[in-house]
Amino acid sequence: MTDPRPEAQVVLRLENITKRFGKLTANGAISFDLRQGEVIALLGENGAGKTTLMNILFGHYTPDEGHVEVFGMRLPAGNPRAALAAGVGMVHQHFTLADNMTVLENIVLGTRSIWRLGFGRAQARQRIVTLMEDYGLRVDPDAQVGSLSVGERQRVEILKALFREARILILDEPTAVLTPQETDDLFATMRKAVALGLSVIFISHKLHEVMAISSRVVVLRHGKLVAEAKTSETDRAAMAQMMVGSEVAAPVVRRADPGAALVTLAGVSSPDIGSAPGLKNVDLELRAGQITGLAGVSGNGQTALADLIGGLIRPASGTFHVKGDAPRGWSPHAAISAGIARIPEDRHKTGTIADFDLTENAVLELYSRPGFSRHGWMNWRAARDFAAKIIRGYDVRCPGPETRIRLLSGGNMQKLILGRVLETAPSVVLANQPVRGLDIGALTYVHEQLLAARDRGAAVLLISEDLDEVTALSDVIHVISEGRLSPGFARGAMTPAELGVWMAGDGFEEAPHAA
Amino acid sequence: MDILDILLQASFWTAAIRIASPLIFAALGELICERAGVLNLGIEGIMVVGAFAGWLTVYLGGGLWFGVAVAMLSGMAFGLVHGVLTVPFGLSQHVVGLGITLLATSLTYYCYRLALPEVTSPPKIEAFQPLEITILSDIPVIGPALFNQTPLTYLAFVLVVAVTLVLYRTPMGLALRAAGEDPAAVEAQGLSVSAIRICAVMVGSGFMAVGGAFLTMSAFNSFFFEMVNGRGWICIALVVFGSWKPGKTLLGAVLFAAFDALQIRVQQTPLGADIPYQIFLMAPYILSILALVVMSRRAQVPAALMVPFNKGER
């Protein structure tokens, strides 16, 4: 990306923005400028204050101090309508689209006076089609949003902003949900937008993307602006260091020493779960002492696989073996008894009970084991000792074992789950999105622990949407798409682009007709 | 005398459409509330209020249409209370709705006693008279059924068309539906979810009150206690039956009314002599439940129905 000329007009100015939530200062006196035709990458760990800052800019939150100027005009605080009218368009991390309405209806929403009688449907469609061509955003205007893929929905969000003649686009972690190919398409759209004179703020923590697309980086840490640099004058290592505030060491991966297959699936299929596909004729082996990585865009059957191994569902067809036996009456209880320990995908919903304390959460799956209960009575002393051991051993930062778990940060909650999982010396570890939403410190810790579990001889299944994470840790990588599983690829055998082809659903042989 | 003969009588269909009319008003009102994301269980009580307010206005010397307007406004007042409690305050829509029903019903009876302390049998009013539309009413069977009704019935059908057009063909309808599907999307577009939802509940409650007023001003010509008799609850089911679509909801109302008209007539046939009449009274409800089971399995519930929206919440 070329640098915009230094004399380019300032289109957006953040001036001394401060926002507090209770005791937490989410943004502390942040100021920076965005110039016309520029892509600023806003970098920072989770909880660094990026999303809060953008919500202030867009008027969702009112800042406690400071103000926003767009094209030299000061925006009234806390007023999304004013931000929209001034030409600020925002694509949220969580899309704000109504599923049961069409693309066209979603785009037109709010752009017409509500006292107007007709829609101006034909005219709106004409404009949308023109915008699609200008910016390379293909999507059917009459499709129901609920039937679209995640990538398509994102295009609708961008179209929505462009339809309102946005001159400044804010993209909040747009690539988190995309395949590498869709990311390339998005970048092409961003380049077209910049060429047409728009300016972009791009939020991400994927450093290679930041290098590829941005002209300038702004780094936030703990709510403060800690660094600002031209992309051409910095590099990935420097940016990572600015984000975390200290040198980051990638985990050292020793060679794996695979042992026996502990979990085996042969030709396994399972029913669809709502709109998410079930498994389709899946072959998979989880070997002791090996990390098996599962790459794929979310919602492609990861949940079905995790639920199957975790005991929540049973295979509809095919053979399923755990440690050589075909389990009868497969259930979560049977899975736990078989030594399968789970790090669930959603630590808030299925991993913990928010208003239970750490002790109760620590023994959530283990309460029936001898030691924690006898003759149907809980042994709370043992449970508390167990929780205390996890807190010490896994560096869970908390006031004590009687703290309600909802008060912990995501990272500390995940460490408790990790401790609960690993303290039982499981033979199989099912890690579903184990570092989602964690900052780099906690993330590195979780990764080290998973590697240590592998080295102790556990079979680890790592499910993640982050391809970088999967390729960094896994000894064998499978790609899942539409419930189909690719063959296993050895570490380093495939480039990210090649894996991306599989993630997009290409490369699979036609499914046999019998299926 | 068979059921088939009954079904071919013009008077049967005239009765069915008349019975359906209050249900159409109230179900349409409920539909508007629910499409914006608010379940309005105040419907039963608001219908009582409308029935009383309309009737009292005429009894005290007001014009018929003025009575309809007063009924509508009194319904909207209760709608405002419901909307303020459930939308900005985000209270439980179930509890608030049932509370409104209890409050509105008791308040109405209280006002009735205040207005008419001495009366034992409820006084009649000069109500709406059927308005025959020439030529069209000469069509066999459906002619008299559809075109020899009171003006309020015609209004009900007109409103179904109007609400359909507004919901699907105007920016206002788009904003209202979006508020019930994804309020965050509405807020992100710079519209106020609170304003849209409160207005929807007010207008919807106004419609419910007119449905109640139909009972006193176009059917029974006087006001007595318990006259709404669960019609509000039926309307809640009709909205589900109609998959939150005005046209299908109208169809459901007519269907239910036809069952109701049918059971009264079948009771008078020889068949009716052998079977306890309670069975006939139950029949429309049982058939409605069966129809509901069949029709509503594929219904698309507004995604944000009963989900309070708090702006700026983390």
Side-chain angles (χ1 to χ4, degrees):
Chain A
M1 190 101 280
T2 53
D3 291 342
R5 285 155 297 140
E7 68 272 20
Q9 188 200 357
V10 171
V11 294
L12 174 80
R13 167 166 288 156
L14 295 175
E15 192 68 52
N16 196 33
I17 301 281
T18 300
K19 175 75 182 172
R20 296 180 204 94
F21 292 105
K23 276 188 199 157
L24 175 81
T25 303
N27 288 155
I30 295 174
S31 309
F32 67 87
D33 292 342
L34 173 70
R35 290 169 187 280
Q36 192 189 356
E38 170 176 59
V39 178
I40 285 191
L42 188 61
L43 268 174
E45 295 197 87
N46 287 292
K50 296 167 298 189
T51 301
T52 304
L53 186 63
M54 292 305 108
N55 277 326
I56 289 171
L57 164 51
F58 193 65
H60 283 317
Y61 296 158
T62 312
D64 296 321
E65 284 162 43
H67 66 267
V68 180
E69 278 175 28
V70 178
F71 297 106
M73 302 274 288
R74 194 166 161 162
L75 282 186
N79 185 342
R81 184 169 272 266
L84 283 165
V88 180
M90 180 150 178
V91 176
H92 292 267
Q93 204 173 342
H94 305 286
F95 300 143
T96 53
L97 297 172
D99 280 357
N100 289 339
M101 294 166 57
T102 67
V103 170
L104 185 121
E105 288 176 333
N106 266 291
I107 293 174
V108 173
L109 175 64
T111 60
R112 305 276 198 258
S113 157
I114 63 166
W115 304 113
R116 209 178 119 156
L117 274 180
F119 239 157
R121 215 176 263 271
Q123 182 200 346
R125 178 191 310 274
Q126 186 55 45
R127 261 207 72 211
I128 292 169
V129 170
T130 314
L131 286 172
M132 283 185 199
E133 281 164 7
D134 289 352
Y135 291 89
L137 294 158
R138 269 163 300 103
V139 60
D140 172 11
D142 296 312
Q144 293 265 312
V145 165
S147 69
L148 300 181
S149 73
V150 179
E152 287 173 314
R153 285 178 206 213
Q154 189 173 66
R155 280 177 234 151
V156 178
E157 283 280 9
I158 298 173
L159 279 169
K160 230 162 85 173
L162 296 172
F163 190 83
R164 292 172 160 266
E165 296 177 4
R167 306 300 297 159
I168 300 164
L169 277 182
I170 302 168
L171 306 173
D172 192 358
E173 304 212 11
T175 59
V177 292
L178 302 180
T179 63
Q181 279 75 10
E182 286 174 322
T183 302
D184 289 344
D185 291 344
L186 174 70
F187 284 1
T189 298
M190 283 166 69
R191 291 195 181 94
K192 281 180 183 155
V194 169
L196 289 165
L198 275 71
S199 314
V200 181
I201 296 181
F202 169 72
I203 302 176
S204 179
H205 46 215
K206 295 188 185 168
L207 298 173
H208 61 97
E209 294 175 356
V210 170
M211 293 303 291
I213 193 77
S214 69
S215 41
R216 208 143 57 89
V217 290
V218 170
V219 185
L220 300 187
R221 190 167 72 229
H222 302 313
K224 295 224 162 54
L225 196 156
V226 290
E228 196 179 337
K230 280 191 175 164
T231 312
S232 55
E233 291 166 8
T234 182
D235 59 39
R236 286 168 70 157
M239 284 193 281
Q241 198 180 333
M242 288 189 282
M243 273 164 72
V244 191
S246 60
E247 293 271 1
V248 198
V252 187
V253 180
R254 295 161 295 272
R255 277 190 64 84
D257 182 15
L262 298 182
V263 175
T264 317
L265 282 73
V268 166
S269 297
S270 74
D272 295 349
I273 307 169
S275 61
L279 301 175
K280 308 228 161 44
N281 204 13
V282 163
D283 299 323
L284 176 68
E285 262 183 359
L286 302 183
R287 289 186 171 278
Q290 173 176 287
I291 294 184
T292 306
L294 188 69
V297 179
S298 72
N300 269 292
Q302 289 96 329
T303 310
L305 183 62
D307 285 356
L308 176 73
I309 297 174
L312 289 166
I313 57 173
R314 295 175 188 177
S317 63
T319 54
F320 174 56
H321 289 274
V322 178
K323 296 178 181 165
D325 299 326
R328 262 201 244 144
W330 190 234
S331 67
H333 185 77
I336 294 167
S337 309
I340 297 177
R342 302 164 297 167
I343 302 176
E345 179 176 10
D346 186 336
R347 58 180 160 267
H348 300 283
K349 248 195 223 154
T350 48
T352 57
I353 298 176
D355 285 313
F356 274 23
D357 66 23
L358 265 63
T359 304
E360 288 165 322
N361 273 297
V363 296
L364 218 47
E365 336 189 277
L366 310 170
Y367 60 87
S368 63
R369 297 209 172 173
F372 292 127
S373 66
R374 200 153 42 132
H375 309 307
W377 293 93
M378 284 298 299
N379 180 352
W380 284 115
R381 186 187 301 261
R384 243 185 319 274
D385 291 347
F386 181 67
K389 191 174 161 198
I390 293 175
I391 292 167
R392 274 195 314 277
Y394 293 83
D395 189 29
V396 183
R397 311 239 170 105
C398 65
E402 49 294 308
T403 314
R404 283 185 305 145
I405 204 159
R406 84 157 59 240
L407 301 173
L408 266 55
S409 73
N412 284 313
M413 217 183 266
Q414 196 72 338
K415 285 181 192 168
L416 182 92
I417 293 176
L418 191 71
R420 176 173 90 189
V421 160
L422 298 180
E423 274 302 303
T424 59
S427 48
V428 178
V429 177
L430 176 59
N432 195 354
Q433 312 285 358
V435 299
R436 180 188 275 172
L438 300 193
D439 61 35
I440 292 191
L443 174 152
T444 314
Y445 185 81
V446 171
H447 283 169
E448 280 168 1
Q449 292 296 326
L450 289 177
L451 283 167
R454 178 201 80 171
D455 291 343
R456 282 198 300 271
V460 179
L461 175 63
L462 172 67
I463 302 177
S464 175
E465 286 155 26
D466 185 343
L467 194 53
D468 293 347
E469 181 188 5
V470 175
T471 48
L473 288 181
S474 311
D475 303 307
V476 177
I477 297 175
H478 292 267
V479 180
I480 193 162
S481 174
E482 296 287 327
R484 297 165 301 180
L485 202 67
S486 76
F489 306 115
R491 176 188 291 280
M494 301 286 268
T495 64
E498 286 168 328
L499 290 172
V501 171
W502 285 88
M503 283 163 74
D506 301 324
F508 289 92
E509 284 172 31
E510 279 304 305
H513 292 292
Chain B
M1 188 67 185
D2 276 309
I3 292 177
L4 200 66
D5 294 333
I6 296 175
L7 290 180
L8 289 172
Q9 285 172 358
S11 68
F12 164 75
W13 287 105
T14 310
I17 296 292
R18 189 178 63 241
I19 296 170
S21 299
L23 301 178
I24 295 170
F25 279 114
L28 211 52
E30 183 66 33
L31 182 143
I32 293 170
C33 298
E34 293 191 16
R35 268 302 177 102
V38 181
L39 177 75
N40 190 344
L41 292 183
I43 182 167
E44 181 82 6
I46 290 170
M47 287 182 78
V48 176
V49 168
F52 176 69
W55 170 83
L56 188 71
T57 306
V58 177
Y59 178 71
L60 295 177
L64 282 169
W65 288 107
F66 183 63
V68 173
V70 169
M72 173 129 189
L73 287 174
S74 49
M76 288 174 80
F78 280 93
L80 179 64
V81 175
H82 188 291
V84 168
L85 290 177
T86 53
V87 180
F89 291 134
L91 302 184
S92 157
Q93 298 183 1
H94 292 103
V95 175
V96 170
L98 293 174
I100 294 275
T101 284
L102 293 173
L103 174 72
T105 311
S106 327
L107 206 61
T108 303
Y109 295 169
Y110 180 65
C111 291
Y112 180 83
R113 280 292 168 225
L114 278 188
L116 306 158
E118 307 294 327
V119 176
T120 47
S121 70
K124 292 241 171 203
I125 55 166
E126 203 52 44
F128 281 107
Q129 294 306 313
L131 187 70
E132 195 175 339
I133 297 177
T134 47
I135 303 171
L136 288 176
S137 62
D138 294 336
I139 305 170
V141 188
I142 63 159
L146 288 176
F147 301 107
N148 193 11
Q149 297 280 0
T150 64
L152 277 184
T153 299
Y154 300 134
L155 179 65
F157 281 82
V158 169
L159 277 180
V160 171
V161 177
V163 168
T164 308
L165 288 177
V166 169
L167 274 184
Y168 294 100
R169 295 294 169 100
T170 67
M172 187 191 283
L174 185 59
L176 186 139
R177 283 189 289 136
E181 291 289 346
D182 188 344
V186 176
E187 205 73 27
Q189 296 303 307
L191 298 170
S192 162
V193 174
S194 290
I196 293 171
R197 285 187 165 176
I198 291 179
C199 287
V201 174
M202 285 179 70
V203 171
S205 301
F207 282 19
M208 295 168 190
V210 175
F214 183 94
L215 297 174
T216 48
M217 302 176 68
S218 208
F220 300 104
N221 303 354
S222 67
F223 177 84
F224 42 93
F225 296 163
E226 313 293 344
M227 74 186 306
V228 173
N229 193 20
R231 285 183 174 81
W233 310 134
I234 290 292
C235 290
I236 305 243
L238 286 177
V239 173
V240 181
F241 174 88
S243 312
W244 288 269
K245 293 187 174 73
K248 281 173 85 177
T249 303
L250 166 82
L251 195 74
V254 172
L255 205 64
F256 175 82
F259 286 144
D260 204 17
L262 187 66
Q263 62 90 4
I264 298 170
R265 283 163 175 72
V266 175
Q267 273 189 56
Q268 288 146 13
T269 63
L271 189 67
D274 301 334
I275 301 173
Y277 74 95
Q278 287 91 343
I279 301 281
F280 290 104
L281 289 179
M282 279 192 311
Y285 298 93
I286 290 170
L287 289 170
S288 299
I289 289 170
L290 289 178
L292 197 60
V293 169
V294 176
M295 291 282 289
S296 64
R297 297 182 62 179
R298 296 168 148 265
Q300 277 191 326
V301 192
L305 181 60
M306 291 187 281
V307 183
F309 177 71
N310 297 318
K311 190 180 171 186
E313 188 169 81
R314 294 196 82 175

